[in-house]
Amino acid sequence: SIKMDLLHSNGVLIIQHLQRDYRAYQDFLNFMSHVGDPRNIFSIYFPLWFQLNQVVGTKMIWVAVIGDWFNLIFKWILFGHRPYWWVQETMIYPNQSSPCLEQFPITCETGPGSPSGHAMGSSCVWYVMVTAALSYTVRWKDKSAVTLHRLTWSFLWSIFWIIQISVCISRVFIATHFPHQVVLGVFAGILVAEAFEHTSAIQTASLRMYIKTNLFLFIFALGFYLSLKLLDIDLLWSVPKAKKWCANPDWINIDTTPFAGLVRNLGALFGLGLGINSEMFITSCKGKNSCKISFRIWCIAASLATLQLYNFVKIPTHTEYLFYILSFCKSAAMPLTVVALVPYCVHLLMRTTEKKLN
């Protein structure tokens, strides 16, 4: 439509302005794009928060998974173009004088562009973290504590918006999103996180509930995809465009395809459910050691260190279905490690040390 083309063309002008006038901040903006990567939720934010507060950690995974699932459905509905291929195919520029947008190794996302998954994932998870931190200070009753709570409230929400704005600018700078797509992503993420502020059932969900949720999310997404395919609507239309217009074929990554994100999230949710309902979790995180600060610190350090090792596990990409299966297993192993395996090992180590001291 004419209005959408006008919105896109104005977005291209903003991207050109950023790439021209903010070149000195390129490294910082690329870093902020990595900060907004939804995969950091499972490898950094979740291990920290789960060992500090299991309620917050559990909520974080649910918010991240459901938020990314909604992001996928919205992407399929909205058919949003990405700047780096839109400028090559649009007919609104005269004499084929399309603007030149610089691309980067992290530019060539293959899924549709609206809403931004990085902006949505960043906003929903940071919303959970900020509200969790403020829940501790809101209980303070005396006058000086109330003042401190207000200062803390102002500080944390300022940090929240600085991070979201930085992530949004970074995604626009690398020409992988238009401005309106990142704005939509931020507010969609906040809505998902706010919805889970009033959903307490997830804290007592059984393994059966986790499996049912996984099956629903997968069947709905697959059914939606197949139903539209029967109507001759290809929801993977963006993948050929990304491959065609990406400046470097090596920058195309199967891990950015729509189904790769779906499989990764379903694996993480299943791993969380498996871990929370395991005997190892009950023995270690519900036992006497769970109240010890040293136990939590050891669990945080061991979890972060162990999860970094997962980054060295490279999943073969030559067979797409094999990639999805292995990606699901790897994603399930990460929360299972944080929730059950690491705490149980730390529990056994501390128990052995106590016996030797006695």
Side-chain angles (χ1 to χ4, degrees), residues 191-213:
L191 287 176
V192 172
E194 179 60 28
F196 273 87
E197 289 294 313
H198 312 286
T199 307
S200 57
I202 59 175
Q203 302 299 333
T204 56
S206 63
L207 180 58
R208 179 177 294 183
M209 182 63 184
Y210 277 91
I211 294 174
K212 286 182 178 179
T213 303

Side-chain angles (χ1 to χ4, degrees), residues 333-349:
M334 295 177 73
L336 181 62
T337 298
V338 173
V339 172
L341 297 178
V342 165
Y344 187 70
C345 291
V346 172
H347 165 74
L348 293 179
L349 182 63

Side-chain angles (χ1 to χ4, degrees), residues 133-316:
L134 290 175
S135 67
Y136 290 102
T137 62
V138 75
R139 304 166 190 166
W140 300 340
K141 299 299 183 182
D142 56 274
K143 188 175 181 180
S144 60
V146 171
T147 303
L148 181 60
H149 167 72
R150 290 174 179 172
L151 291 173
T152 305
W153 188 94
S154 300
F155 173 75
L156 290 179
W157 283 116
S158 296
I159 294 295
F160 172 86
W161 284 111
I162 289 172
I163 290 174
Q164 304 320 312
I165 292 172
S166 298
V167 169
C168 289
I169 292 175
S170 72
R171 300 300 289 171
V172 174
F173 174 84
I174 65 174
T176 199
H177 283 297
F178 291 103
H180 70 277
Q181 294 173 344
V182 292
V183 171
L184 178 60
V186 168
F187 287 102
I190 291 174
L191 287 176
V192 172
E194 179 60 28
F196 273 87
E197 289 294 313
H198 312 286
T199 307
S200 57
I202 59 175
Q203 302 299 333
T204 56
S206 63
L207 180 58
R208 179 177 294 183
M209 182 63 184
Y210 277 91
I211 294 174
K212 286 182 178 179
T213 303
N214 257 15
L215 288 174
F216 170 79
L217 296 178
F218 178 73
I219 292 172
F220 185 97
L222 183 62
F224 188 71
Y225 169 78
L226 294 176
S227 298
L228 290 185
K229 194 169 184 178
L230 289 174
L231 298 175
D232 205 26
I233 300 175
D234 184 13
L235 293 181
L236 299 181
W237 60 272
S238 60
V239 178
K241 291 182 182 292
K243 292 180 178 179
K244 180 179 180 180
W245 297 114
C246 184
N248 187 338
D250 293 336
W251 293 348
I252 296 290
N253 191 341
I254 191 175
D255 201 29
T256 66
T257 58
F259 278 112
L262 175 66
V263 169
R264 184 173 58 246
N265 288 309
L266 295 182
L269 188 63
F270 176 73
L272 175 66
L274 197 62
I276 283 183
N277 291 280
S278 68
E279 286 297 325
M280 287 188 291
F281 170 76
I282 296 172
T283 301
S284 55
C285 295
K286 296 295 185 180
K288 61 177 183 179
N289 280 332
S290 62
C291 299
K292 296 179 180 178
I293 296 179
S294 58
F295 174 79
R296 295 176 182 271
I297 293 175
W298 274 109
C299 286
I300 290 173
S303 295
L304 290 174
T306 305
L307 292 187
Q308 298 316 306
L309 297 178
Y310 282 97
N311 294 330
F312 294 101
V313 179
K314 301 302 180 183
I315 300 176

